[in-house]
Amino acid sequence: MKIYLQARGSYDNLLSLSLWAEQNDIERIGLPDHYIVGKQRHDKNNAAPALDLLTATAGLVRDTDKMIYSILVSPITFRHPSVLVKMASTINNMAPSRFRLGVGTGWLEIEHELFGIPFPNLKTRFEMLEESLIIYKLMTTEENPVFEGDFYKIDGA
């Protein structure tokens, strides 16, 4: 049986947990990609510290030896798909095969409201996710991919 962890918190706490997990043969930590956490999900004035977990993961893969990090899951509303692929491929370049990217439609409306990120209806978010998945695949399998959809466009990314 394999045990994986899910965690959030300050960078120092995530690093301490990662180092402990490596010493105890736990090979993977899942990190939720949210800009707000805890009680702020219900009360926007009750803020708690929350990191950008893709940025934090870039540091964590460099500060650990073998831990695998999985993003659970990055909302397609946060970042243009070509930017997300670029971030993910950069992290993978920093520590090959130690990063996993999960993507989804996003669900936490208040998080979008607080950060000024548009929050389309669920049908639209699924359509955006579909186009994003096409871009992710194109950018990781083809040289100079081109795509033009209703929401996103790349031209030789």
Side-chain angles (χ1 to χ4, degrees):
M1 175 172 69
K2 292 186 178 187
I3 298 173
Y4 301 144
L5 302 175
Q6 180 175 341
R8 63 179 168 85
S10 71
Y11 185 83
D12 288 339
N13 286 346
L14 291 173
L15 180 57
S16 293
L17 175 64
S18 297
L19 296 172
W20 175 88
E22 283 187 333
Q23 291 172 353
N24 289 281
D25 296 321
I26 296 172
E27 65 183 44
R28 187 173 302 186
I29 295 177
L31 304 168
D33 192 17
H34 285 287
Y35 287 165
I36 65 172
V37 296
K39 294 178 182 176
Q40 192 176 23
R41 291 176 23 198
H42 306 289
D43 177 3
K44 67 182 181 180
N45 297 314
N46 198 351
L51 303 176
D52 178 285
L53 272 283
L54 270 91
T55 306
T57 300
L60 290 167
V61 298
R62 296 299 294 205
D63 288 343
T64 58
D65 294 322
K66 57 187 178 182
M67 184 57 58
I68 297 170
Y69 295 95
S70 300
I71 296 297
L72 311 170
V73 299
S74 186
I76 49 92
T77 51
F78 279 13
R79 301 169 190 92
H80 189 283
S82 63
V83 172
L84 187 57
V85 168
K86 197 68 165 161
M87 293 174 76
S89 63
T90 299
I91 295 169
N92 189 61
N93 183 266
M94 295 167 71
S97 301
R98 292 182 40 221
F99 178 70
R100 307 290 185 270
L101 176 64
V103 294
T105 60
W107 61 273
L108 192 52
E109 188 170 2
I110 190 172
E111 182 171 48
H112 291 75
E113 177 188 329
L114 287 170
F115 285 87
I117 301 169
F119 189 69
N121 65 49
L122 186 60
K123 179 182 183 295
T124 300
R125 293 194 318 271
F126 268 103
E127 292 167 351
M128 292 169 70
L129 177 63
E130 183 176 11
E131 285 188 16
S132 294
L133 294 172
I134 292 168
I135 290 172
Y136 302 149
K137 180 160 181 143
L138 288 172
M139 286 185 65
T140 57
T141 61
E142 294 186 14
E143 284 192 35
N144 304 312
V146 174
F147 175 82
E148 186 166 350
D150 293 330
F151 304 99
Y152 304 112
K153 176 183 176 179
I154 56 171
D155 187 10

